[in-house]
Amino acid sequence: MDPTRRRPPPHKVSSVQQYIRDTFQQQVIGYGGYAEWPPRSPDLNPLDFFLWGYIKQRVYATPPPTLQELRNCITDACASVSPAMLYNVQREVQSRVQMGCIVAEGHNFEHER
């Protein structure tokens, strides 16, 4: 391979994309997924405004000393996301769409709670 040629990020490699589609089928949201998602939209992306922060907070409350414990902590943190939390996130997405896409006409905006 030409060393000057950039490689795609791991999640964009075709074998990874195929695995995700095969594993999660019609639950994939994102580029090339069942439901498309606007690129670079952290204000509208629940992974950016909720999930990653929540998972990191849970996982690193007490830093795991081994890789296996890190894996266990990540799995436990993901399992701790409740239906009530997801309902609140869904309501937050609606609020952000209203603010960012409708009121601000798609321009940048500050979302205050």
Side-chain angles (χ1 to χ4, degrees):
M1 174 179 233
D2 178 358
T4 61
R5 192 170 145 193
R6 294 186 67 191
R7 294 179 187 207
H11 65 284
K12 299 282 182 161
V13 175
S14 62
S15 60
V16 173
Q17 287 285 309
Q18 188 61 51
Y19 172 80
I20 290 170
R21 282 191 299 275
D22 291 347
T23 303
F24 299 103
Q25 299 171 3
Q26 294 185 351
Q27 298 176 42
V28 178
I29 298 173
Y31 178 75
Y34 177 72
E36 289 290 334
W37 196 263
R40 295 174 198 77
S41 58
D43 291 328
L44 301 177
N45 187 339
L47 297 177
D48 288 334
F49 76 74
F50 165 70
L51 187 63
W52 301 141
Y54 174 79
I55 298 297
K56 283 175 70 174
Q57 180 183 21
R58 298 278 308 228
V59 168
Y60 293 108
T62 303
T66 67
L67 183 57
Q68 186 56 51
E69 288 186 43
L70 174 61
R71 288 180 179 135
N72 294 343
C73 286
I74 292 170
T75 299
D76 292 346
C78 290
S80 74
V81 176
S82 71
M85 294 167 80
L86 295 176
Y87 176 77
N88 288 336
V89 169
Q90 183 265 337
R91 288 183 56 209
E92 182 70 15
V93 169
Q94 289 176 338
S95 171
R96 287 167 182 257
V97 167
Q98 177 68 31
M99 288 295 297
C101 296
I102 298 170
V103 174
E105 298 178 341
H107 298 284
N108 291 339
F109 67 98
E110 286 293 322
H111 185 79
E112 297 184 26
R113 294 181 172 224

